Amino acid sequence: MILRPPPSRSRSARRLGAAGVAGASAVLLTGCFSADPGAAGGDGGTGGRIEVAMLQPPRSGLSPLSDDAFKLSRWSTAETLVRLDEAGEAQPQLATDWQQLDGTTWSFTIRDGVTFHDGTALTADNAAAALQHAANASPAPRILDGVQMEVDAEGDTVRVTTAETDPLVPQRLSSPQLAILAPAAYEGTAVDPVGHGTGPFELTGVDGTSGATLDRYEDHWNGPAAAAGIDVSFVPDGTARAAALRTGEADVVEAVPVGQAARIEQDLLQEVPMPRTNTVYLNTEQGPFADPAIRAAAREALDPGAVVEGVYEGRADEAAGLLGPAIPYAAAGRDAGAYRTALADRAQPEDPQGRKITIGTFTDRAELPEVAVQLQQQLEAAGFEVDLDVREYQYIEADALEGEFDAFILSRATVLDSGDPVAYLVSDFGCEGSFNLSQFCSEAVDAALDRAEKATPGEERRAAIMEAEAAILAEDAAIPLLHERVIQGEQSGVAGAARDPRERELVTAETTVAE
């Protein structure tokens, strides 16, 4: 990749660098998504630049084939054929419409009048080439893990063919890792996003792991953005990010630490529910929790509300199921009669009578060791004898996957890149699941997961997902504790910043900051 140094940074960006050095020595899910990309563009105003402090620097040179793609998406510089709405349904972006031609073939019509930031016109040919480049990459983008995909152009359409029937092809194409960049981006050994996107902001410079500069792209297909540009600083230190918000050095701040929140004016903090659940996985294959009645005893003993208040200072949501408020249909799905009937058949708890259990967790997420201590106290009060095993994740993952613990506490993303929770449910609770910490296998659950995998996106799939959740909880394979929130900082003059639980959007065409 060719990295061009950014132009002279504004006052706030320069101060953020100092804040980073010094640091080293509740609005919920509303307005996250535009109703229609055709109404998303700004009016081409003369708004000022937006200063953004981000949590992590690039890890792969801002390659769109890596997790760095989510930065390009959050800066509105790289766009995909499809975007997702709040419910996870596919909506037009660089493709205006699509249809499924047969069980494995989809056709996407490319939007007319789109240009890349280097002036090249978007065509079906270069869109297909970009997608095929991603499909051929090694390692493959995470969204294509296990998916064989061939892409070609036909007239003004892109044709996508998969080896197996996949009802989520449009949702997959919404992943930031499948952004469409100009042909010149693919000429070197690495994919170069600088000056090669189609979004309302052009990435004009990257300063290593320090920052990035983006300028308004005046010829965006939906009209110019409201702000003149974005100045990004990468500030891994949480104290420094909080200080940048508190002192006004940054307009928008990613991931303000819970421990810093009390020191900041509360009207500058926006709490966004995340599709991430803290869950206790119970070993259903061996040990005390192989007995459904003892699993039920653990479920009855745990008090998630105390964990939310004691560890997360109230900045999390007590879990009603595996899927939290970031999944907008989950709560309503639990009102269905079939869901309630499934849970009514749960095993009844028995006295654990001093049974000894070992709970594992890891230190990489700062809250989890404290969560483990609280759960230890709650379970011991109910009659269990509890030992804790807490290590760094890299040293404990293999043991957890092998079923070496009676229980394991994990903070788990429940919606992966397709915006759909089925992959998570299959991975964690399917008999052949690749991340089955509970060593769990149930014919009834596998049947429910199979129905969910095959269901058409929309109401049918949502109902099948909730049916699968109920089947899993009915057997107490896992005890969901809480759903995390991320705290996003915004200065009082900021308007239109996205509060996106999937962390795909942040600064959009509508975002402005008062001068």
Side-chain angles (χ1 to χ4, degrees), residues 473-489:
L473 295 181
E475 300 200 39
D476 289 315
I479 305 171
L481 297 174
L482 59 93
H483 309 294
E484 296 183 13
R485 305 174 194 161
V486 68
I487 305 175
Q488 180 169 305

Side-chain angles (χ1 to χ4, degrees), residues 146-461:
V147 177
Q148 297 181 38
M149 186 174 81
E150 295 294 329
V151 190
D152 55 48
E154 185 171 306
D156 63 349
T157 67
V158 167
R159 184 163 292 193
V160 177
T161 304
T162 55
E164 299 178 357
T165 299
D166 183 357
L168 290 182
V169 166
Q171 281 81 355
R172 290 190 193 281
L173 296 188
S174 76
S175 170
Q177 293 181 329
L178 299 183
I180 308 299
L181 300 183
Y186 304 95
E187 291 177 353
T189 57
V191 183
D192 178 10
V194 178
H196 293 142
T198 60
F201 293 101
E202 177 184 355
L203 180 62
T204 56
V206 183
D207 187 8
T209 59
S210 298
T213 303
L214 300 97
D215 296 329
R216 178 169 55 213
Y217 182 55
E218 301 293 345
D219 295 325
H220 185 251
W221 56 268
N222 198 34
I230 309 169
D231 293 310
V232 179
S233 292
F234 302 117
V235 188
D237 184 79
T239 301
R241 288 197 310 281
L245 179 65
R246 190 170 55 249
T247 60
E249 295 167 351
D251 301 313
V252 179
V253 176
E254 273 194 325
V256 176
V258 170
Q260 294 289 323
R263 305 179 185 180
I264 299 171
E265 292 182 31
Q266 295 305 291
D267 60 358
L268 303 185
L269 303 178
Q270 317 298 333
E271 296 187 26
V272 182
M274 303 300 292
R276 178 173 287 277
T277 303
N278 280 17
T279 302
V280 184
Y281 291 78
L282 302 181
N283 190 331
T284 63
E285 186 177 57
Q286 61 184 354
F289 293 133
D291 182 346
I294 302 304
R295 297 202 296 272
R299 180 231 310 155
E300 291 296 311
L302 296 186
D303 181 1
V307 177
V308 168
E309 294 301 323
V311 179
Y312 289 83
E313 301 178 13
R315 297 182 185 273
D317 296 291
E318 185 175 343
L322 295 167
L323 306 178
I327 312 299
Y329 55 82
R334 295 187 187 104
D335 290 333
Y339 190 100
R340 295 195 300 270
T341 298
L343 295 188
D345 292 334
R346 275 176 163 175
Q348 295 301 304
E350 290 184 4
D351 187 343
Q353 297 181 338
R355 282 180 171 84
K356 185 174 182 178
I357 60 174
T358 300
I359 300 177
T361 195
F362 50 98
T363 58
D364 303 56
R365 297 187 73 88
E367 301 86 2
L368 292 187
E370 190 175 349
V371 170
V373 170
Q374 286 217 7
L375 298 191
Q376 179 185 37
Q377 295 169 351
Q378 293 173 7
L379 289 166
E380 288 181 342
F384 289 93
E385 181 181 339
V386 184
D387 288 335
L388 299 182
D389 188 342
V390 181
R391 312 176 218 161
E392 290 184 32
Y393 187 76
Q394 63 177 323
Y395 299 121
I396 203 169
E397 180 189 43
D399 286 345
L401 290 170
E402 289 296 323
E404 297 296 323
F405 303 103
D406 298 302
F408 196 82
I409 306 169
L410 183 72
S411 173
R412 179 72 161 131
T414 60
V415 172
L416 304 181
D417 290 357
S418 65
D420 183 85
V422 173
Y424 144 71
L425 294 173
V426 171
S427 172
D428 288 28
F429 302 106
C431 290
E432 302 299 324
S434 61
F435 203 73
N436 192 335
L437 299 181
S438 295
Q439 315 301 309
F440 176 68
C441 184
S442 161
E443 290 185 4
V445 168
D446 262 17
L449 292 173
D450 185 61
R451 288 191 292 272
E453 282 191 293
K454 294 177 179 177
T456 301
E459 185 176 347
E460 176 190 350
R461 192 174 184 91

Side-chain angles (χ1 to χ4, degrees), residues 3-151:
L3 300 181
R4 298 191 286 273
S8 177
R9 307 288 295 283
S10 68
R11 49 166 178 77
S12 299
R14 288 195 293 270
R15 284 204 302 267
L16 269 176
V21 173
S25 62
V27 175
L28 295 180
L29 182 57
T30 57
C32 300
F33 300 90
S34 302
D36 177 0
D43 295 328
T46 57
R49 301 184 66 82
I50 300 170
E51 309 289 345
V52 179
M54 300 197 76
L55 169 61
Q56 293 178 336
R59 295 180 176 178
S60 303
L62 287 176
S63 168
L65 306 180
S66 71
D67 282 349
D68 286 353
F70 289 83
K71 292 179 174 57
L72 302 176
S73 176
R74 283 169 79 73
W75 301 337
S76 294
T77 189
E79 297 175 317
T80 49
L81 293 189
V82 176
R83 57 184 289 279
L84 297 182
D85 64 15
E86 180 180 333
E89 303 299 328
Q91 303 295 331
Q93 194 168 54
L94 295 181
T96 56
D97 57 75
W98 50 89
Q99 59 180 321
Q100 187 171 10
L101 302 180
D102 57 44
T104 59
T105 307
W106 295 75
S107 177
F108 295 80
T109 302
I110 298 302
R111 185 180 296 277
D112 190 34
V114 178
T115 58
F116 295 102
H117 296 151
D118 64 3
T120 306
L122 172 68
T123 65
D125 285 322
N126 52 39
L131 290 174
Q132 191 63 58
H133 187 280
N136 294 341
S138 182
R142 188 175 59 220
I143 188 65
L144 296 181
D145 187 23
V147 177
Q148 297 181 38
M149 186 174 81
E150 295 294 329
V151 190

